[in-house]
Amino acid sequence: MKIVMLGAPGAGKGTQAKMIAAKYQVPHISSGDIFRANIKNGTELGKKAKEYMDQGLLVPDDLTVDLVIDRLSWEDCKNGYILDGFPRTIPQAKTLDAALEKIGERLDFALDVDVPDENIVTRMSGRRACVGCGATYHIVYNPSKKGDICEVCGDQLILRDDDKPETVQKRLSVYHEQTQPLIDYYADQGILKSVDGTRDMNDVFAAIAAILEA
Ligand code: ADP
Ligand code: ADP
Ligand code: ZN
């Protein structure tokens, strides 16, 4: 089961990807998490990526593509994976397709979690992310039972710098310009499935499970 998650920043891709990963026992691979881990560890890549992320811009393809595609060759990916946040541009999608074709594989589904821009700013301003393990919460829709402490690892929950309203607007315009075209790209391949992402997260997941098990 090889799945790509599509949708605006804050649409709930990560939330759904984690639920899919838990139910179907395939790894959740988030390009944003990989970059944030590099930032936290102070790597050269992390320093470069942060400059773009803080402005709400995409990290250039040459810093992104090999990093993510290499990850797919790990042993835990042999039964599939859920890609969350990658690809985000048509060139990234084409490079991924070419890399898969080389090894005789292809994606099974591109799942678009559809949420209008109006809902995104509230989603993002209420998102809280764990600095330790990357778990995400929402102050209204999915609060941590321990307040601003992570239920999973006990570390601190923060509002990501790039989730502040000014940056969210920029990320949304970048999404419409560079990432939304992927919806047509995967529709043309016949693997696009869309779900209404405005509903409760468990309802969204039920719709996704129905698609994956159809
Ligand atoms: P969200 O889940 O809110 O959409 P992510 O965690 O996926 O955010 O990404 C955070 C930031 O990391 C993006 O705004 C972008 O700067 C960078 N990033 C993540 N994935 C990619 C990618 N595939 N290509 C370019 N930049 C990326
Ligand atoms: P993405 O990975 O697409 O950027 P996230 O999964 O991190 O999005 O979700 C963004 C924020 O919205 C998080 O705070 C998350 O808890 C919350 N959220 C996710 N799905 C829903 C939903 N169906 N309804 C309400 N809030 C949600
Ligand atoms: Zn945590």
Side-chain angles (χ1 to χ4, degrees):
M1 181 186 283
K2 297 184 198 69
I3 302 172
V4 161
M5 301 299 295
L6 298 176
K13 301 180 297 295
T15 301
Q16 296 302 325
K18 284 181 185 129
M19 293 166 91
I20 300 169
K23 179 159 181 184
Y24 299 99
Q25 298 294 307
V26 282
H28 165 215
I29 299 173
S30 156
S31 44
D33 284 353
I34 296 175
F35 286 132
R36 281 184 290 277
N38 274 277
I39 293 172
K40 195 176 159 196
N41 295 329
T43 68
E44 255 339 283
L45 171 71
K47 281 179 202 146
K48 286 187 196 151
K50 188 174 185 332
E51 284 176 37
Y52 297 94
M53 292 167 74
D54 282 351
Q55 298 178 66
L57 299 173
L58 295 184
V59 178
D61 287 351
D62 61 329
L63 296 178
T64 306
V65 174
D66 292 346
L67 181 75
V68 181
I69 290 181
D70 285 347
R71 174 66 184 84
L72 305 181
S73 64
W74 292 20
E75 178 65 17
D76 64 345
C77 289
K78 67 179 191 305
N79 294 325
Y81 40 78
I82 304 145
L83 274 171
D84 164 20
F86 181 91
R88 248 182 167 95
T89 62
I90 295 280
Q92 288 182 9
K94 288 188 171 160
T95 313
L96 174 62
D97 281 346
L100 289 176
E101 203 182 316
K102 240 175 156 175
I103 52 172
E105 294 182 354
R106 51 166 301 175
L107 295 169
D108 298 303
F109 296 101
L111 290 177
D112 177 38
V113 182
D114 187 24
V115 175
D117 288 8
E118 303 86 85
N119 305 31
I120 293 292
V121 181
T122 14
R123 288 267 180 107
M124 305 289 255
S125 58
R127 171 156 66 183
R128 293 295 178 273
C130 174
V131 294
C133 72
T136 45
Y137 301 86
H138 190 282
I139 51 174
V140 178
Y141 305 120
N142 182 27
S144 166
K145 293 186 187 70
K146 299 184 178 167
D148 57 3
I149 299 295
C150 178
E151 287 172 16
V152 181
C153 76
D155 221 325
Q156 191 73 29
L157 303 182
I158 56 150
L159 174 67
R160 273 166 44 183
D161 280 338
D162 62 343
D163 280 350
K164 293 180 178 149
E166 329 66 277
T167 319
V168 169
Q169 287 304 343
K170 180 68 200 168
R171 289 166 69 196
L172 272 174
S173 66
V174 167
Y175 166 75
H176 290 301
E177 217 170 278
Q178 295 186 264
T179 308
Q180 206 172 18
L182 293 177
I183 293 179
D184 285 341
Y185 178 86
Y186 289 119
D188 288 345
Q189 291 190 4
I191 61 168
L192 179 76
K193 302 282 175 190
S194 289
V195 292
D196 174 2
T198 61
R199 292 179 297 162
D200 176 89
M201 47 187 85
N202 294 312
D203 295 341
V204 179
F205 184 62
I208 289 177
I211 289 167
L212 300 181
E213 290 170 24

